[in-house]
Structures are given as structure tokens and as C-alpha cells.
Amino acid sequence: MNVPDSFLESLRQQVDIVEVVSEYVQLRKNGRSLTGLCPFHNERTPSFSVSPERQMYHCFGCGAGGTVFRFIMDIEGLPFAEAVAYLAERQGIALPAHFGVGRTASNPKLERFREAHALAAKVFNHILMNTDAGVQALNYLLSRGISRTTIMSYQLGFAPKPGNVLIPFLKRKGFSESELLECGLAVELGSAVTDRFRGRVMIPIADRKGRVVAFGGRAMDEGVKPKYLNSPEYELFHKSQLLFHYHLARKAIRKEKQALLLEGYMDVIAVQQAGIEHGVATLGTSLTEEQAHLLKADCDKVVIAYDGDQAGRKATVRAIDILEGVGISPLVLRIPDGMDPDEYIRANGATAFARLLNRNTLSVVQFLLDELRQGAQLVSAVGRTEFVRQALRILAERATPVEQEYELRNLSQEFNLSVETLKEELRTFSKQSRRRTFGRETSGSKTVAQPLARADQQASIRLLQAVLFSREAAEYLMEKGLTELAEPVQTALLSNLYAWRLENPDGSPSAFVDQLEDESLAHFASSLFFYEVPEFSTALLDDYLRALELHRLEQLHRSLLRQWIEAEAGGDEERSTEIKLQVEQIQDQIATLKQPRAIHAE
């Protein structure tokens, strides 16, 4: 990549890693660093750290780490050159002349797919807003209370029923039939290749950067199945990994500190038009863990506002488990009369929905008790008893002490049972719940104690830090002939550090991490920034060197003792005497190394 090191260093200093990482990970202050859940592996206990002071990140769970360049490379799947270009554009910094020479090009096939979808969105929108073919669809949207401004904002469109509109247009723009088939805009019908979407209102689906990568199409004619048809999955479109309106809602989600999770495209459009900006929707499927992780990066609470019918309530139960699984606290919006948000807004207005959102939001416990009540047979004594027992089980497994106290009083009044009787039964369920969960904790949800590093390993870490952060220390250790550390990966990193120091005596430690081609070494090097860095005096460096030598001699001493025992047992007196002398010499050296530092300085 032909880009001056000075430009990289300047860009590195102007980009705040905390701001960049915060767009993907919800961070909290923890001492001098910020911590959050790692975006590169699933976890419930934060092990991901970002250092504002050193402008580095590192995950102590999976080992991922590096500078802001490495973060963008890992999170966006970009090569180094493209990560640099991405960050420069983000900061409004012009790239150096000839930057593109030698730069790894973006995938041209995927760029073609994006271009085809962008053109398709414009074609569909033009047909809807400016042609006779789109009049019926336009009237339909207007009748649902969707304004022309909203239509243009979402780039809504219409695909006419004859399937010979989009594909001929895109072919004239240079796209081949094979490309359009592969990205889902075209479909084969017999021997003909035609438009996939026909007779449908078209809703563009964007990726996290706001680029159109797919469509959702709503059938205009009654009885047409499916009512909603999504683009098929391909390289740029995986339904389980995207949320509708996510790229536009992120700012509001972060501001509100919660997201509104909806079931359909029209629900999102309706609530957004009602002035509620933090709504997103799944793409015709149940909420997935990947989608939950997207939300977790921006908030800790999600209000689930699915349809109020039976299917919507079942989907809500599934979504609760998914959200809680990634550490999000779910709430549930209860919409009256089995209505969906779009229907409620059309019937009652935007103000009424906003009021509903403020007043009818239930906790998970309240929702599950309400759901339990829907199917309970409260007219019979057996049904009432079973309802109470199941309600107590929910309280034991999910409720906080305050929720338990509140709901126990409600149950007591409703079923004429004493609070003490209910509490006694609740304790039984609580014990059962604890027994079921005991021993099922994993390293993802519970901090696992790590064994203490050996003295030689700790010394090796310090010596690597010395070479990385201090030119003088690096020169001193090279003069001392230090070439091997406690672990092979440490020795490999030391070799790379020496080579870099010789070429860049005053180089930036961050620049060293960026130039490492070996990803595992780059990740390991990033961890060095998250240990306290001492003042490296020659006396302190000698202590670390002595710790390494002491460990080497102790290992040799143990090996010689085993050989001595074997020689004695075999009756080899000459060999035994020879090893005994070696053991005594090693013991003297170990004793000398264990003496206080002042003696070594004499």
C-alpha cells in the first residue's frame, strides 16, 4: 500500500477509537479503560476493553485486539487499505495522492450487486410516484396514512404485475442476467428470465451503512401468497443479521437508551411517521441472536411491540428469551384488541400510540403472568390452583424481590390466599429453580479464575513492553543478547519488535501493531497496552532477565536431578559423579540469582 507512514500516524491521532468502537459496542467506564461485551464472540460478562489513553482495544476472552484500524478491519471485514480509507472518509480527511495504487480493491461483484439494487429502488420509486401503473399502489399507501414525504424518505416503490420492467432496464445499464439472478432481482420462469417482484409495493432493505441490498414486497391483490415476499438470501443479504430501519434508528436508540422492536415494515414506517425514531423490525423471521447482538451494541433495554394476536404473543415469548440471552432487559408493549402498531396508530392517532407506549409497557414478569392468564381455566378450582402454582414458578425464576412482593399481594387479594402461604410455596419453587441452574454456568456468564502466570512469563511480558515502549530499553536488551522468552509466541513477537525497532528507533507503538501481518501476533501485542507500564530502569530490566535465567536454571536443575537418580539406579558411578558436579554448580548459580539485587550490583 503506497501511503506514507506520516499520514497513517496523523490519521491514527485524529480518530478517537472510543467514538468508533462505541458505534458497535456499548461501553462503560471501568477505571482508566472502558469495557463492554465483545462484538467478535458471544459473551455475557464483559471482557472487551478499550483504552482511550493508548487508543487500543483488546478482548481478554477471545484475544482480539489492536488499533482502530484493526477494529474496522475485523468488524467490517475490510483489508487494511480499505479500513484506512474508511476512517479517513469518516474524519473528512483527504487521502494522499496515489493512495489507491497497490490497494486491495473491494469486491467488484458485490459492488455491482449494490449498484443494481440502488438502481432498482429508484426505478420502483419512479413507477410509484410518476406513472399510471403506480397509481393504485400510491393510493393504497396514502389510504394507510403514509405521507408522500415518508414515501420518498423510505424510497418506497411499486413493481408492476407484468414482469418485464426492471430486468430489461438493468440489462440496458450493463447488468447480465446471471448477475441479476444471483442477487435475487430476477427469477427464471420456464425459459425466460423476468422480474422477481411483480404486482407488489416495494420496500427497500438497507444494510448497516444504509446501502440497499434487498427488498420486501407486499402483494397488492388480495389472496396472493405470500402477502410479503423478501429477496432471497445471497452474499449481501442474510435476514438473520439485519434489522429493517436499523441504520436510521441507531442514533435515536442510543439517545433513548432503548429500542422499539416491531414485527413488520409498515409498523416501523407508521411509528416513525408518528415521531418515534427508535423502531426497528425483523425481516419476516423471528428475532435471532445476531439481531439481538446488533441491538446490544446500542442499548440495554428493548420494548417488544409485536402484534397483539396469538402469533404475535408467541413470538414475543421467543424474543424475550433471545434478548435476555445477550444481556438485554426486555419490556413488552400491550396493544389492545389484538391490533398491530400500524393499525392502532391509524385508528387512534400518533399521540394515542405515544401515550400507550408510556403507560402500557409491561415487565417480562407482568407479560408472562398476563400470557399465563390468557390460557388459564379460572372458572374451576383446579384451574385456579394450577394458575397460582404456575404464576409462583414464574415469580421464582424471573422476578426481582420487589416484583415478587407486589405480585404476591395481587395473587393474595385475587384468590383469597394469605401472603404467607404464597411465600411458603414460592420458597419451594425458588429452591427448585436454584437446583436446576446450579452448575450450568459457563465461562460466558461467569468469571472464571485464571491461573497466575509463572514468574518467567510475567518477566517476558515486561520485557516485551520494554522493547515496545522504550527505545533505550530495547537497545539495552539487544546489547544483553536477549533472544528467547518464556513462550514461543513471546519469542516470535520479540523478534518482530527488534526488527521494527532497528528500522524505526522512535516509532509509535501503535504503528508497530498495525504493521504486524500475523493476526495472532497483532492480537497478542495489543494485550501489552493493557498492563501497567513501569519505568524501565536498567536495574529493573536486569531483574526481569534474572527471573528468566532463574527459571531456565531451575528447569535444568530438575532435569539433572532426574538423570542423577537414573545413573545411581543403573550403577553408573562415573556418570553419577559427573551429573552431581553439574547439579552443585547449578545450585550455586541459583543461590546467587536469588540473592538481593544490591549484591548483584557490587
Side-chain angles (χ1 to χ4, degrees):
M1 180 185 67
N2 296 333
V3 55
D5 291 339
S6 58
F7 175 81
L8 291 177
E9 187 60 31
S10 174
L11 178 59
R12 191 183 291 112
Q13 291 177 6
Q14 292 183 62
V15 176
D16 183 359
I17 192 172
V18 173
E19 290 183 6
V20 174
V21 173
S22 292
E23 294 179 6
Y24 302 86
V25 180
Q26 190 171 6
L27 298 173
R28 288 186 173 85
K29 189 73 174 174
N30 185 11
R32 296 168 69 176
S33 297
L34 295 99
T35 61
L37 294 174
C38 180
F40 304 115
H41 79 288
N42 292 336
E43 62 176 8
R44 297 188 183 182
T45 301
S47 59
F48 181 86
S49 292
V50 179
S51 171
E53 178 184 354
R54 293 169 181 159
Q55 290 293 295
M56 298 288 290
Y57 75 96
H58 185 77
C59 177
F60 291 92
C62 68
T67 67
V68 69
F69 296 135
R70 173 67 62 177
F71 181 81
I72 291 299
M73 290 168 66
D74 289 346
I75 200 79
E76 295 288 350
L78 300 176
F80 183 73
E82 289 189 31
V84 171
Y86 175 93
L87 290 169
E89 181 181 357
R90 183 182 183 277
Q91 293 298 117
I93 299 172
L95 292 169
H98 310 299
F99 175 81
V101 178
R103 175 182 169 190
T104 303
S106 58
N107 189 320
K109 181 177 79 168
L110 300 186
E111 288 300 322
R112 294 274 292 171
F113 290 166
R114 292 189 186 98
E115 184 183 352
H117 277 83
L119 287 171
K122 291 178 180 178
V123 169
F124 292 142
N125 180 256
H126 176 79
I127 292 171
L128 176 73
M129 301 300 291
N130 300 291
T131 71
D132 292 340
V135 169
Q136 181 187 359
L138 179 60
N139 288 335
Y140 163 76
L141 291 172
L142 294 174
S143 71
R144 292 191 62 156
I146 299 174
S147 69
R148 292 175 182 269
T149 300
T150 299
I151 289 171
M152 295 306 296
S153 175
Y154 280 88
Q155 214 172 357
L156 303 182
F158 179 66
K161 190 175 293 185
N164 59 354
V165 177
L166 180 65
I167 301 309
F169 172 81
L170 292 177
K171 287 172 70 174
R172 289 195 297 273
K173 293 292 184 178
F175 292 92
S176 67
E177 288 185 349
S178 61
E179 286 179 308
L180 301 176
L181 287 167
E182 190 174 352
C183 71
L185 290 172
V187 64
E188 287 183 303
L189 291 180
S191 59
V193 174
T194 187
D195 298 356
R196 174 176 293 274
F197 297 98
R198 302 179 299 280
R200 293 178 179 270
V201 171
M202 300 300 293
I203 303 150
I205 299 170
D207 63 13
R208 293 196 298 178
K209 293 182 179 179
R211 300 170 299 192
V212 179
V213 294
F215 290 94
R218 188 197 187 283
M220 283 296 301
D221 296 337
E222 294 299 324
V224 173
K225 300 294 182 181
K227 182 177 179 181
Y228 280 94
L229 176 67
N230 279 339
S231 295
E233 296 202 347
Y234 68 106
E235 289 100 321
L236 293 176
F237 179 54
H238 300 282
K239 289 183 289 186
S240 64
Q241 298 173 11
L242 293 176
L243 289 164
F244 180 68
H245 192 243
Y246 177 70
H247 67 291
L248 295 173
R250 287 195 72 187
K251 184 177 180 180
I253 290 172
R254 297 176 71 83
K255 180 181 178 181
E256 298 286 338
K257 297 183 174 58
Q258 70 176 24
L260 179 63
L261 182 60
L262 301 150
E263 201 166 349
Y265 309 123
M266 291 301 178
D267 291 329
V268 172
I269 293 170
V271 301
Q272 193 276 335
Q273 191 170 257
I276 298 167
E277 303 281 348
H278 60 297
V280 295
T282 53
L283 301 174
T285 58
S286 299
L287 181 72
T288 66
E289 190 170 319
E290 293 94 333
Q291 291 167 335
H293 276 291
L294 277 182
L295 295 171
K296 178 60 181 173
D298 297 309
C299 64
D300 286 327
K301 290 184 179 180
V302 169
V303 178
I304 305 169
Y306 284 174
D307 296 359
D309 58 13
Q310 185 177 6
R313 294 174 75 89
K314 285 184 178 180
T316 298
V317 174
R318 291 194 298 270
I320 286 170
D321 289 337
I322 294 291
L323 293 168
E324 288 184 334
V326 302
I328 290 176
S329 299
L331 299 167
V332 181
L333 178 64
R334 181 167 54 189
I335 304 175
D337 304 322
M339 301 173 79
D340 62 36
D342 178 34
E343 291 170 335
Y344 187 87
I345 290 171
R346 279 188 282 147
N348 301 282
T351 302
F353 183 79
R355 187 163 55 246
L356 188 76
L357 194 57
N358 288 328
R359 297 179 181 177
N360 269 39
T361 299
L362 307 177
S363 70
V364 168
V365 169
Q366 290 171 326
F367 169 76
L368 292 177
L369 290 176
D370 187 50
E371 186 71 3
L372 180 64
R373 188 179 295 277
Q374 297 289 325
Q377 302 295 323
L378 298 180
V379 294
S380 70
V382 173
R384 290 193 295 272
T385 300
E386 182 60 20
F387 170 78
V388 171
R389 287 180 59 81
Q390 292 301 322
L392 291 173
R393 187 185 300 278
I394 290 171
L395 294 179
E397 293 178 353
R398 291 181 176 269
T400 65
V402 172
E403 286 179 310
Q404 288 180 352
E405 185 73 22
Y406 178 79
E407 296 298 341
L408 286 175
R409 292 187 183 279
N410 287 342
L411 290 172
S412 172
Q413 293 173 8
E414 182 177 0
F415 296 98
N416 197 28
L417 296 167
S418 72
V419 173
E420 286 306 315
T421 298
L422 293 171
K423 284 185 176 180
E424 183 62 33
E425 188 77 3
L426 180 65
R427 280 191 284 270
T428 301
F429 284 116
S430 297
K431 290 176 182 177
Q432 293 173 357
S433 177
R434 283 195 295 271
R435 282 198 296 270
R436 282 196 299 272
T437 58
F438 180 75
R440 294 194 313 195
E441 296 289 344
T442 66
S443 59
S445 58
K446 185 177 181 179
T447 302
V448 179
Q450 298 294 325
L452 292 175
R454 299 192 315 257
D456 64 317
Q457 293 173 329
Q458 292 176 324
S460 295
I461 290 291
R462 292 305 192 191
L463 291 168
L464 286 169
Q465 284 184 307
V467 180
L468 178 60
F469 293 109
S470 170
R471 171 183 175 178
E472 294 76 13
E475 292 172 350
Y476 181 77
L477 292 172
M478 282 189 270
E479 289 175 6
K480 284 284 187 177
L482 174 66
T483 57
E484 189 171 349
L485 298 175
E487 302 289 343
V489 66
Q490 294 172 333
T491 300
L493 186 60
L494 178 66
S495 177
N496 277 270
L497 272 167
Y498 279 165
W500 170 74
R501 270 291 175 205
L502 290 171
E503 289 187 15
N504 306 274
D506 299 307
S508 158
S510 298
F512 166 73
V513 178
D514 283 333
Q515 61 87 43
L516 281 170
E517 295 182 2
D518 187 310
E519 185 175 335
S520 63
L521 285 183
H523 288 168
F524 175 50
S526 72
S527 69
L528 300 178
F529 290 76
F530 288 83
Y531 296 100
E532 202 66 37
V533 180
E535 291 291 331
F536 289 111
S537 64
T538 55
L540 183 58
L541 294 174
D542 286 340
D543 281 346
Y544 296 142
L545 293 172
R546 192 158 51 251
L548 283 181
E549 180 64 9
L550 181 61
H551 181 77
R552 185 189 70 81
L553 290 173
E554 287 175 338
Q555 283 187 311
L556 179 58
H557 182 254
R558 286 192 289 270
S559 175
L560 288 171
L561 285 176
R562 287 193 295 270
Q563 295 176 44
W564 188 12
I565 292 170
E566 291 172 1
E568 287 278 304
D572 189 342
E573 293 185 8
E574 183 179 348
R575 175 67 175 154
S576 174
T577 301
E578 179 185 342
I579 295 175
K580 179 184 177 182
L581 290 173
Q582 293 179 20
V583 168
E584 290 173 349
Q585 290 173 354
I586 296 296
Q587 288 174 335
D588 289 342
Q589 293 178 47
I590 289 174
T592 301
L593 286 173
K594 286 185 174 181
Q595 291 174 351
R597 179 192 293 175
I599 295 176
H600 295 282
E602 292 178 358

